[in-house]
Amino acid sequence: MPNFCSHCGHSPLARGTPPGDTHERDYCGACGAVVYDNPKVIAGAIIEQEGRILLCQRGIPPRVGSWTLPAGFMERCESVEEAARREVWEETGIDAEVTTPYSIFSVPPTNELYIIYRARVVTWEDAPGPETRAVNWFKPQDIPWDLIFYPAIRQILERYIAERDGGTYGIYTGSMEKGVVHFMQ
Ligand SMILES: [Zn+2]
């Protein structure tokens, strides 16, 4: 983050709790503008078809070569469902329909919130975009766990595989440290 005020250009920014605020932040000592570094939302989807789970392999940094669920940062002016659908399309070429929320996963250390849905394939006509090196459908026993880096994605996949054996899917809310799986009544 640049260490100058984006409003008036004053440098450097001060660090502290601005007047009337509750959190320590960067702010401008000249004009009073505050830099709000709020969490970013990552939207994505878990898609199963014919007993296999869709994963994509990253083709750009960070973590080139690692496998993950199709997911990425929300853009301005879109809903989280739209973001999940767009990320699936960009990273796999699949037009998907979002069906059910599956995981609302907070990652406080990296200032991120994952919102992962279950989704189903509507059409698959396009090739993945340049962010993706490969797309593959994995049977649970074939998932390349050693190449799945993000702990949130790993937890989501592990729970999904455990739940699919029982045929009942919950909705997780929480973080790596603690959380709750909510089941529909
Ligand atoms: Zn300023």
Side-chain angles (χ1 to χ4, degrees), residues 113-174:
L113 170 65
Y114 286 74
I115 300 180
I116 304 293
Y117 293 88
R118 292 171 62 206
R120 66 175 193 86
V121 175
V122 178
T123 57
W124 188 7
E125 294 170 358
D126 294 305
E131 295 182 7
T132 302
R133 176 189 284 177
V135 175
N136 208 346
W137 299 87
F138 289 96
K139 289 181 186 169
Q141 63 268 30
D142 296 334
I143 288 177
W145 294 107
D146 292 349
L147 295 173
I148 292 176
F149 172 73
Y150 298 101
I153 299 297
R154 173 181 293 270
Q155 195 249 36
I156 289 163
L157 276 172
E158 286 174 347
R159 181 168 66 89
Y160 182 85
I161 290 163
E163 288 179 351
R164 76 195 278 283
D165 291 337
T168 304
Y169 297 97
I171 300 169
Y172 180 84
T173 58

